[in-house]
Amino acid sequence: MRKYAVIYRSVLMENMQYVMNVVMGFISYFIIIFVLIQLWNYMYSSPDELISGYTREQMIWYTLITEMIWFGARSAKVSRQAAMDIRGGNIAYLMNKPYHYTLYILAKYTGEWSIQLPMYAVLAAVMGITMVGRLPQFHIVTLLAVIPCIILGVTINAVFKLCISLISFWIEDSNPFQWLYDKLILVVGTIFPIEIFPAQMQPFLKLTPIYTVCYGPAKLVVDFDMEKCVEILVAQIVYLAAGCGLMFFVYRKGVKKLYVNGG
Amino acid sequence: MLTAVKNQVRVCVLFTKYNIMREMLNKVTFLTNICFMALNNAAFIIQWVILFHLKKDIGGYTMKEVMLLWGLAASTFGLARILFDRAFALPDLIINGKLDAYLVIPKNVLLSVITSSTNTSAIGDFLYGLAVMCIFSFSVGRFFLFLLFTVTGAVIVTSFALIMGSLSFWFVRAEMFGNHMVNCMISFNTYPDGIFRGKVRFLLYNIIPVGMSVYQPVHVMMRFDLGSLLTVLGYTVLISAAAVFVFYRGLRRYSSSSLMAARM
């Protein structure tokens, strides 16, 4: 594990030099949140109205948290860089090193979001408090449970995105698959909570990464419940284990294919 | 004069043709990019079905009008990135001194730059826009208006990208700011303008040109109004003139980086 910690630390130090780049990214976050606030203000006819059990404040805070995860954890490391390593043949050099390639990418990715995500969290909190107001039922202590959920969610997302990038072993461009995965998370997961979908669809949606990546952490922020927290954490651990299994399996298969093609 | 214009148009058409032919070298990747981009756009239909299930009218738009808005936004961006993709990557050319290669071409510099690449997935956007229009609100008159507004929208979007990209001639980090501003057009133009009020509305119709590239055209297609149509056409001419002016003003400040590279 020490070697991955060294990789993580070196990327972390490197990214600290580019904090201004992250700050520039706030423009996009601000605009998308602004649009969504306008949308939900329009959708709620009165301040006391409930939509699928959510008040207007809860709904907007839900989108603030999901978009925070989306923006704070986005990185080209697990998508474009991994795919380019495979397409460009650079993987032939990286796979001989004394680390596992997929864990190497994940360590680098963690080094990136460790800077970005807290910065977006501060922005989300400031925007939420100034533009929407405080969440009535929120207690700061719940963050102790929410933070591990967010970290697990971000890691699950990275593992699945890396799995998609590994498709590049078979087809040249895995980007189109990334778009579809991103849209699944973005459209179904970030704009509204699962409860808004028809009752018949909800059990199915709980089986998708949306539940563990976006819904879980955001739900715990807007409406914390200990039972729900345990349920989400268990689902995340199962998902992470399955995702890692899939990632190692696809990588092992892909590397054999690389050997056949000669890199 | 007319021959020069004809020649320039021919060169631009050839640029686009060869760009597409180059992308088609790997047919599987080419087709997957197009099909998946169309699917990617279609995913947003779910969002709107859910929202219209909650409320019948959003910002004065029905489902049919939102789909028309989406269709026009997709085809506008699609056409812009098929024909003028490099306009969206202008800062990279400026910062890394890659404009040198275009300065020595005995044709119009700006057109040579912006037509020098094509985004394959944008073909998916363009086709998706046309398909959505035909499925949700087809009529012969509306179809021709849609084509006209796709062209004006593409010119407006490209001009805005050019103005934002040209800021790199003057400012460091303008690249990121410009990219965010162009991306913010996408964020705004896929939501009905009725949900925005006051100063934001003014901003969308004047500073960020979403109003004239998508909102106003959708209003004209739903309820025809000659005045609004002429306003869109006038705005298109104005913003493209502004983009040309800003680019050439900036080009005076451009200095080569003596970069030696092969253009493939």
Side-chain angles (χ1 to χ4, degrees):
Chain A
M1 281 305 280
R2 252 187 69 198
K3 53 196 168 193
Y4 298 110
V6 171
I7 296 166
Y8 166 78
R9 219 171 25 247
S10 68
V11 177
L12 191 76
M13 300 301 283
E14 183 190 328
N15 277 284
M16 278 179 154
Q17 310 302 314
Y18 302 107
V19 170
M20 269 314 284
N21 290 359
V22 181
V23 174
M24 290 299 278
F26 285 0
I27 299 172
S28 291
Y29 180 80
F30 178 83
I31 288 166
I32 198 82
I33 289 299
F34 178 79
V35 171
L36 290 173
I37 289 177
Q38 300 298 312
L39 178 72
W40 284 118
N41 279 341
Y42 192 89
M43 297 302 288
Y44 279 85
S45 315
S46 68
D48 305 325
E49 192 186 344
L50 288 179
I51 294 180
S52 304
Y54 287 77
T55 62
R56 190 185 69 94
E57 285 77 18
Q58 282 179 318
M59 193 65 90
I60 297 176
W61 269 99
Y62 179 89
T63 53
L64 272 163
I65 303 298
T66 52
E67 292 288 346
M68 173 203 90
I69 296 172
W70 177 260
F71 276 84
R74 68 178 175 179
S75 157
K77 288 276 181 296
V78 282
S79 50
R80 205 171 304 144
Q81 196 199 325
M84 284 307 290
D85 282 345
I86 298 166
R87 280 173 70 179
N90 197 28
I91 191 143
Y93 301 99
L94 294 169
M95 62 188 279
N96 294 330
K97 299 280 190 296
Y99 49 63
H100 196 282
Y101 174 74
T102 55
L103 296 179
Y104 160 73
I105 291 287
L106 285 179
K108 284 180 82 171
Y109 171 73
T110 311
E112 266 194 20
W113 71 249
S114 299
I115 299 283
Q116 273 177 207
L117 194 57
M119 289 175 72
Y120 274 97
V122 172
L123 178 67
V126 171
M127 281 184 75
I129 290 167
T130 53
M131 295 169 85
V132 192
R134 286 171 187 275
L135 265 171
Q137 293 154 355
F138 178 75
H139 293 289
I140 199 88
V141 186
T142 56
L143 285 180
L144 292 174
V146 172
I147 291 171
C149 267
I150 293 177
I151 293 172
L152 279 169
V154 167
T155 312
I156 292 167
N157 187 42
V159 167
F160 279 97
K161 283 185 78 71
L162 192 50
C163 284
I164 296 169
S165 296
L166 294 177
I167 296 175
S168 293
F169 277 119
W170 289 273
I171 61 162
E172 196 181 311
D173 193 357
S174 60
N175 258 337
F177 297 95
Q178 296 281 5
W179 299 336
L180 277 191
Y181 173 80
D182 286 349
K183 283 300 164 296
L184 173 77
I185 301 286
L186 192 70
V187 176
V188 187
T190 65
I191 299 171
F192 12 67
I194 286 177
E195 289 89 342
I196 225 164
F197 288 89
Q200 305 92 307
M201 275 179 79
Q202 289 179 23
F204 169 73
L205 288 172
K206 284 185 176 176
L207 295 174
T208 63
I210 295 162
Y211 185 73
T212 49
V213 175
C214 300
Y215 172 82
K219 173 75 181 172
L220 291 179
V221 173
V222 299
D223 186 18
F224 186 80
D225 173 53
M226 202 45 168
E227 204 178 311
K228 193 85 184 163
C229 178
V230 173
E231 185 190 311
I232 290 166
L233 276 170
V234 169
Q236 285 183 320
I237 291 164
V238 171
Y239 235 93
L240 187 60
C244 286
L246 179 70
M247 181 179 76
F248 291 132
F249 174 75
V250 176
Y251 178 74
R252 208 169 49 240
K253 285 274 181 199
V255 164
K256 281 183 191 161
K257 176 95 175 160
L258 183 77
Y259 173 73
V260 172
N261 288 338
Chain B
M1 171 75 179
L2 204 64
T3 318
V5 173
K6 250 171 74 180
N7 274 341
Q8 186 62 56
V9 171
R10 227 181 111 237
V11 170
C12 291
V13 171
L14 283 174
F15 262 134
T16 309
K17 184 182 158 191
Y18 291 126
N19 290 337
I20 294 176
M21 281 170 71
R22 191 177 53 215
E23 296 293 331
M24 281 174 78
L25 280 175
N26 187 333
K27 286 197 174 55
V28 176
T29 307
F30 180 77
L31 290 173
T32 347
N33 268 296
I34 294 172
C35 296
F36 276 56
M37 182 47 84
L39 270 175
N40 181 45
N41 291 335
F44 283 94
I45 294 177
I46 301 170
Q47 177 192 335
W48 288 103
V49 168
I50 299 283
L51 288 171
F52 278 106
H53 181 70
L54 298 174
K55 209 167 187 166
K56 293 280 168 279
D57 173 284
I58 299 175
Y61 283 58
T62 60
M63 182 73 181
K64 186 177 148 186
E65 283 152 346
V66 165
M67 285 298 108
L68 191 59
L69 181 82
W70 251 98
L72 187 63
S75 61
T76 291
F77 262 86
L79 188 65
R81 299 203 78 141
I82 291 170
L83 300 177
F84 313 119
D85 187 46
R86 200 70 91 188
F88 298 85
L90 191 60
D92 174 54
L93 301 180
I94 298 167
I95 295 163
N96 297 314
K98 293 179 186 168
L99 276 181
D100 297 15
Y102 302 95
L103 295 174
V104 291
I105 296 176
K107 291 286 168 198
N108 183 287
V109 178
L110 177 58
L111 284 173
S112 302
V113 170
I114 63 177
T115 55
S116 64
S117 88
T118 289
N119 188 318
T120 317
S121 57
I123 300 173
D125 280 325
F126 179 69
L127 295 177
Y128 172 80
L130 281 179
V132 162
M133 191 271 153
C134 292
I135 294 167
F136 286 93
S137 47
F138 182 79
S139 77
V140 177
R142 200 173 286 155
F143 181 75
F144 284 108
L145 276 175
F146 186 88
L147 290 181
L148 172 70
F149 288 132
T150 299
V151 174
T152 55
V155 173
I156 291 172
V157 169
T158 309
S159 304
F160 186 64
L162 261 177
I163 294 170
M164 289 294 123
S166 298
L167 293 179
S168 292
F169 282 119
W170 288 278
F171 308 107
V172 187
R173 288 193 195 279
E175 170 199 13
M176 290 187 78
F177 173 75
N179 282 342
H180 288 303
M181 291 308 286
V182 174
N183 286 337
C184 96
M185 273 190 80
I186 305 173
S187 305
F188 280 114
N189 70 15
T190 47
Y191 288 90
D193 57 337
I195 65 169
F196 306 111
R197 296 203 175 91
K199 287 172 191 160
V200 183
R201 224 177 143 79
F202 173 81
L203 200 77
L204 293 178
Y205 274 87
N206 296 281
I207 312 295
I208 307 166
V210 185
M212 289 299 168
S213 67
V214 178
Y215 294 149
Q216 187 93 318
V218 169
H219 294 302
V220 174
M221 280 190 275
M222 297 315 293
R223 282 164 293 277
F224 184 78
D225 174 43
L226 188 63
S228 301
L229 172 69
L230 292 175
T231 313
V232 174
L233 293 176
Y235 186 86
T236 309
V237 174
L238 268 179
I239 195 167
S240 45
V244 172
F245 175 76
V246 172
F247 176 80
Y248 280 106
R249 274 306 269 224
L251 195 59
R252 288 188 200 167
R253 295 175 54 89
Y254 174 74
S255 55
S256 163
S257 66
S258 304
L259 177 78
M260 296 285 282
R263 288 177 65 211
M264 314 285 271

